Amino acid sequence: MSSVFTPSQIAFRPFQTRRDKRRGAMLVLIAVLMAAFFVSVIFSVDVAYMQLVRTQLRIATDAAARASGETLSRRQNIELARAAAKKLAAENLVAGEPLILDDSDILAGNVSRQHNGKWLFKRSGEPINGLRIRGRRTDDSPSGAVDLFFARIFNVYDYE
């Protein structure tokens, strides 16, 4: 007995054969894309954390500079101004730890306004009317470098 196919059965038969050969092809594509997605998530979490630490460091340094400037203008004593900067910096957290300033991070000098409207800081200028605060989280700073979360996968352990 011979088989008779209708036109609709003939049209779908080649597609069924092609589909059987490609079975599981999407699984490989999904696995590759998921790996790329996780790498991008890992990278973005660490980059966002680095930006947060940078912002916290800027805030702590600005607060310490304001405290030292206010103390210097009221008391006219550089050592009291340095102590005020260290105290306020330590009250601000950078990466979950207090920012510890070293004496070398607090520079006394003269601040003067230039013709172009910018301010110029001269380290050993007289009279001493300002302080420059350098906030840092490096290996050689008292606070140390900032540990990262996922960059260890790529052999990067900290951020300076």
Side-chain angles (χ1 to χ4, degrees), residues 123-144:
R123 182 167 182 213
S124 59
E126 290 289 332
I128 293 176
N129 63 355
L131 291 145
R132 176 180 280 173
I133 310 296
R134 182 177 61 161
R136 58 194 175 109
R137 291 289 309 261
T138 58
D139 282 335
D140 61 339
S141 70
S143 298

Side-chain angles (χ1 to χ4, degrees), residues 22-73:
R22 292 184 54 180
R23 191 168 199 168
M26 286 303 292
L27 186 62
V28 174
L29 179 65
I30 289 171
V32 169
L33 290 177
M34 287 299 287
F37 174 72
F38 283 126
V39 167
S40 67
V41 166
I42 287 169
F43 182 71
S44 64
V45 165
D46 277 342
V47 168
Y49 184 64
M50 287 188 272
Q51 291 299 318
L52 173 67
V53 167
R54 188 175 177 191
T55 302
Q56 289 174 339
L57 184 61
R58 183 171 291 157
I59 290 168
T61 305
D62 287 348
R66 291 188 71 125
S68 67
E70 189 267 337
T71 303
L72 182 64
S73 68

Side-chain angles (χ1 to χ4, degrees), residues 4-160:
V4 178
F5 295 105
T6 63
S8 63
Q9 290 174 328
I10 293 173
F12 286 114
R13 186 168 236 198
F15 290 118
Q16 289 173 347
T17 311
R18 201 178 313 159
R19 189 181 328 139
D20 291 339
K21 289 179 184 176
R22 292 184 54 180
R23 191 168 199 168
M26 286 303 292
L27 186 62
V28 174
L29 179 65
I30 289 171
V32 169
L33 290 177
M34 287 299 287
F37 174 72
F38 283 126
V39 167
S40 67
V41 166
I42 287 169
F43 182 71
S44 64
V45 165
D46 277 342
V47 168
Y49 184 64
M50 287 188 272
Q51 291 299 318
L52 173 67
V53 167
R54 188 175 177 191
T55 302
Q56 289 174 339
L57 184 61
R58 183 171 291 157
I59 290 168
T61 305
D62 287 348
R66 291 188 71 125
S68 67
E70 189 267 337
T71 303
L72 182 64
S73 68
R74 287 181 189 259
R75 302 281 181 95
Q76 297 298 311
N77 186 326
I78 296 172
E79 292 309 315
L80 288 176
R82 278 195 171 124
K86 288 180 180 181
K87 181 179 182 248
L88 199 62
E91 292 176 5
N92 286 283
L93 298 180
V94 177
E97 298 175 3
L99 177 63
I100 301 169
L101 295 177
D102 195 16
D103 283 337
S104 64
D105 294 329
I106 305 168
L107 306 173
N110 180 271
V111 180
S112 60
R113 189 171 185 158
Q114 302 301 302
H115 297 302
N116 59 6
K118 294 184 179 182
W119 294 89
L120 178 66
F121 178 82
K122 291 182 185 173
R123 182 167 182 213
S124 59
E126 290 289 332
I128 293 176
N129 63 355
L131 291 145
R132 176 180 280 173
I133 310 296
R134 182 177 61 161
R136 58 194 175 109
R137 291 289 309 261
T138 58
D139 282 335
D140 61 339
S141 70
S143 298
V146 177
D147 293 330
L148 295 175
F149 298 114
F150 300 111
R152 296 168 195 261
I153 297 169
F154 307 111
N155 289 330
V156 177
Y157 296 98
D158 55 18
Y159 168 67
E160 296 184 0

